[in-house]
Amino acid sequence: MKKKVLIIKLGYSETLDQMLSLTTSLGDVLRTTVILHFYKDCSVDWLVDEVASPLLEGNKYINRIYHYSAETLSGLRAIKYDIVINFEKLPDICDFAHSLNAREFFGFVYNGFGYEVKTHVQAARRLVELSQDIGKKRSNRDCWQKILSEAIGHMWNGEEYILGYRPRSKIKYDIGLNWATSSKWKNKTWPKSR
């Protein structure tokens, strides 16, 4: 029987940033898809904000996509998971994730004073360090794929992101620029005049 896995990545809190927000980061959801490589033989559910859901739709490694709502959280509490992975840092989401019925848990837990990780994987502690210490984050030379992979106990061997999205039109250009960033990251916006 396939292992049941729940990934909690709504896109609200950037995994490696200390700022908390309810603004959905599509990039953070995209970056988290790299961990799907390690669960290809499992039945994977993903809890995500509805805004980021199109990034995951059609992904052959995701069994079911759940949109974040009170009703959804209630339903998920009734499911037994083998593994729960929480890459969100909002205290309410941390509490929810840690309350689930799971054999193994990876990711963030809020203990009332700050963030910690509950896992047997030592590498997962880097998540907290890099998200809370700007100096460590700036001096870090590892890519997110490696950090996220190690946080769940796997070695990263160059695996890429896995999207379900497939463009409807033919490719016209080799390079695409994301000029439509959220209000959260105004400094990343490429001006339309350019």
Side-chain angles (χ1 to χ4, degrees):
M1 188 153 152
K2 290 183 173 185
K3 283 187 176 182
K4 283 193 69 63
V5 178
L6 175 64
I7 298 171
I8 302 171
K9 186 61 206 168
L10 304 168
Y12 290 165
S13 58
E14 296 272 338
T15 307
L16 296 178
D17 189 67
Q18 64 186 17
M19 186 169 65
L20 298 178
S21 169
L22 292 178
T23 302
T24 305
S25 169
L26 300 178
D28 213 41
V29 173
L30 167 70
R31 285 184 289 272
T32 305
T33 64
V34 72
I35 69 172
L36 289 170
H37 286 281
F38 307 110
Y39 301 105
K40 288 180 177 180
D41 296 327
C42 299
S43 177
V44 177
D45 295 343
W46 193 306
L47 178 62
V48 69
D49 183 64
E50 191 171 359
V51 172
S53 185
L55 291 173
L56 305 175
E57 290 171 2
N59 192 309
K60 64 183 180 178
Y61 300 116
I62 299 175
N63 179 54
R64 185 133 188 227
I65 298 169
Y66 291 97
H67 296 150
Y68 181 64
S69 71
E71 184 180 334
T72 299
L73 298 185
S74 178
L76 288 173
R77 282 192 176 96
I79 300 173
K80 291 182 181 180
Y81 284 99
D82 293 293
I83 300 169
V84 169
I85 300 164
N86 175 38
F87 285 148
E88 288 295 333
K89 293 184 306 242
L90 293 171
D92 290 349
I93 297 170
C94 288
D95 289 345
F96 161 74
H98 202 62
S99 74
L100 293 171
N101 187 351
R103 290 184 185 164
E104 286 187 274
F105 181 88
F106 299 98
F108 291 104
V109 174
Y110 185 73
N111 65 15
F113 302 102
Y115 296 95
E116 60 180 307
V117 286
K118 294 282 188 182
T119 176
H120 64 279
V121 180
Q122 181 64 31
R125 291 170 190 12
R126 285 186 71 201
L127 288 177
V128 174
E129 290 174 1
L130 293 173
S131 69
Q132 299 298 306
D133 188 326
I134 194 75
K136 286 184 180 181
K137 183 178 175 183
R138 286 184 178 153
S139 65
N140 172 56
R141 297 293 173 233
D142 289 334
C143 65
W144 282 34
Q145 295 102 309
K146 182 177 189 293
I147 295 165
L148 293 177
S149 299
E150 289 175 353
I152 57 172
H154 293 275
M155 288 290 290
W156 181 68
N157 292 307
E159 291 88 357
E160 293 293 334
Y161 309 124
I162 302 175
L163 288 177
Y165 166 80
R166 299 289 177 253
R168 293 185 201 135
S169 59
K170 290 184 177 183
I171 296 173
K172 292 182 182 180
Y173 307 100
D174 293 335
I175 299 171
L177 299 174
N178 181 7
W179 56 269
T181 59
S182 72
S183 59
K184 184 176 178 180
W185 299 108
K186 287 187 181 281
N187 62 330
K188 292 185 178 183
T189 303
W190 188 261
K192 286 184 182 182
S193 62
R194 301 270 173 113

